[in-house]
Amino acid sequence: MTVQETTSTQSVNNAGVDSPEALAYRAALDVIGAVEPAVADHIRGELGNQRSQLKLIASENYASPAVLLAMGNWFSDKYAEGTPGHRFYAGCEYVDKVERLAVDHAKALFGADYAYVQPHSGIDANLVAFWAILAHRVEAPFLVDHEAKHVNDLSATDWEELRQSFGNQRMIGMALNAGGHLTHGFRPNISGKLFDQRSYGVDHTTEMLDYDQVAATAREFKPLVLVAGYSAYPRKVDFAKMREIADEVGATLMVDMAHFAGLVAGGVFTGDFDPIPNAHIVTSTTHKSLRGPRGGIVLSNEADLVEFVDKGCPMVLGGPLSNVMAAKAVAFSEARQPEFKTYAQQVTDNAAALAEGIAKRGGRIVTGGTDNHLVLVDVQPFGLTGRQAESSLEAAGVIVNRNSIPFDTNGAWYTSGIRLGTPALTTVGMDTSDMDEVADIICGVLRSTEPVPTKAGEPSKAHFDLDDGVRNDQRARAAELLAQNPLYPTIGQL
Ligand code: DSN
């Protein structure tokens, strides 16, 4: 056992032994362990790992015991294709209740007229939205033109014409190395095979989103869909401006707010920066800054789009996961509490403190700072690739992911950057002074990491050497921070 594990173990050992969640998890692991002990062991192992590492993955968080427990029950056994009150299966009384509850919480939380809580993930939510837009803007007018009510009423020739026209539609989205996401029309993802896509990016000097380029690309390319949103852009986006551009060219504005949904829910992003009143349709995951279960959601205020969103299952989704919808209802209810606003503000304050702490220790922060929950660090000043930095930090108990930076010359596998996010560490209670300590740990590791050549003497973008003493010192400091801010303290040892 490492120093870090010992310390964080001790910190949770004395707490919460008889809390309801401690009793619930101990009983659950007994039940699971009686059937397959290895699974119970791996569940304990995962908790141990998460308690012994500084988690800075920008897309992860720690859901509450109530959210986690809502997923582990017999709702999992029920099929419920369709929508509440309109299912393809009998016996959905309580699934209907729990889905309606999640929908009502989501609508109130985000101030949206409509919410669809069935998507299993972010990619699913985006697929539902893409198909809703295609159905609304391509399929529905085609059916009217051909005096058909349903696609099954079309002749084989007409159906073939409609089918081809789905594939002829255009989309623009943020370039991957500017912080965009694969599901926004890139070739390795189904969205890139479905749509003819062009990207917009960031300014070479400021590394900020270039709205003039968005407008110019939109005017020239005339997309059906303008996608806004990101997974690695550290600044807020002016969605009112994006909507102006979309309206000018007749595009549907879709915002993927998966990364920053918690900041929207918590009131950090308002007005022009709130996607809900500005976009035609908004998608999200529910597990990142929003701190719910792993899953997706679609929101909209457009009455003529939502009837197609409701057809997401079985259009692109398998049967809804009722247990996860139950957990979404719990998480949305939590996010409606005043404490969540404090949490969301602290997430952004912590990100700003982390960026400042790294910058003052010699790191280069992409865009020079952050407005949201994430910090993108160019690790080239440390003489490293993103891959080397990620691995070296992991050895010291700091979990981050390597990430391309704008105009990256190291490709998407090795990269020149690391992406850091503060939602998880904020959940365990860390504040801006802790972020300065985290910045010192990170820079201490990166300064002491040396690239080393391969065995054949070739330069390597992956191999590195980290001094053992530095690694152990930084691990001990990370462990101390975790001991002061333990994860799931009321669950105790399992
Ligand atoms: N995996 C999520 C992220 O890290 O941003 C979304 O792709």
Side-chain angles (χ1 to χ4, degrees), residues 244-313:
E244 267 174 41
I245 296 170
D247 285 346
E248 185 191 325
V249 300
T252 299
L253 176 62
M254 172 181 145
V255 175
D256 178 347
M257 65 168 183
H259 260 264
F260 51 92
L263 305 185
V264 177
V268 175
F269 289 170
T270 57
D272 292 352
F273 305 98
D274 178 351
I276 313 297
N278 289 301
H280 294 97
I281 190 162
V282 177
T283 62
S284 185
T285 52
T286 48
H287 48 276
K288 297 185 174 97
S289 52
L290 193 51
R291 210 165 58 184
R294 297 291 296 263
I297 184 173
V298 180
L299 303 161
S300 181
N301 290 336
E302 300 290 320
D304 50 358
L305 257 180
V306 300
E307 67 171 288
F308 301 107
V309 177
D310 265 346
K311 294 181 176 146
C313 171

Side-chain angles (χ1 to χ4, degrees), residues 351-374:
L354 185 60
E356 192 186 325
I358 291 173
K360 76 182 182 202
R361 292 171 176 89
R364 192 183 82 79
I365 306 299
V366 172
T367 76
T370 175
D371 299 326
N372 56 20
H373 63 299
L374 69 84

Side-chain angles (χ1 to χ4, degrees), residues 111-187:
D113 293 345
Y114 169 88
Y116 183 66
V117 299
Q118 294 188 11
H120 312 324
S121 66
I123 181 173
D124 287 359
N126 287 349
L127 276 176
V128 168
F130 294 148
W131 277 108
I133 296 167
L134 288 170
H136 170 50
R137 300 217 30 210
V138 178
E139 183 175 289
F142 188 94
L143 292 178
V144 171
D145 280 355
H146 291 76
E147 296 178 354
K149 279 206 157 83
H150 193 276
V151 285
N152 288 343
D153 302 333
L154 294 172
S155 69
T157 312
D158 289 344
W159 169 240
E160 185 55 18
E161 186 187 335
L162 174 58
R163 217 173 60 74
Q164 297 289 338
S165 65
F166 287 134
N168 286 332
Q169 302 306 319
R170 295 173 169 183
M171 162 191 291
I172 63 174
M174 193 169 194
L176 282 180
N177 74 4
H181 194 259
L182 268 185
T183 59
H184 300 173
F186 293 93
R187 292 179 188 181

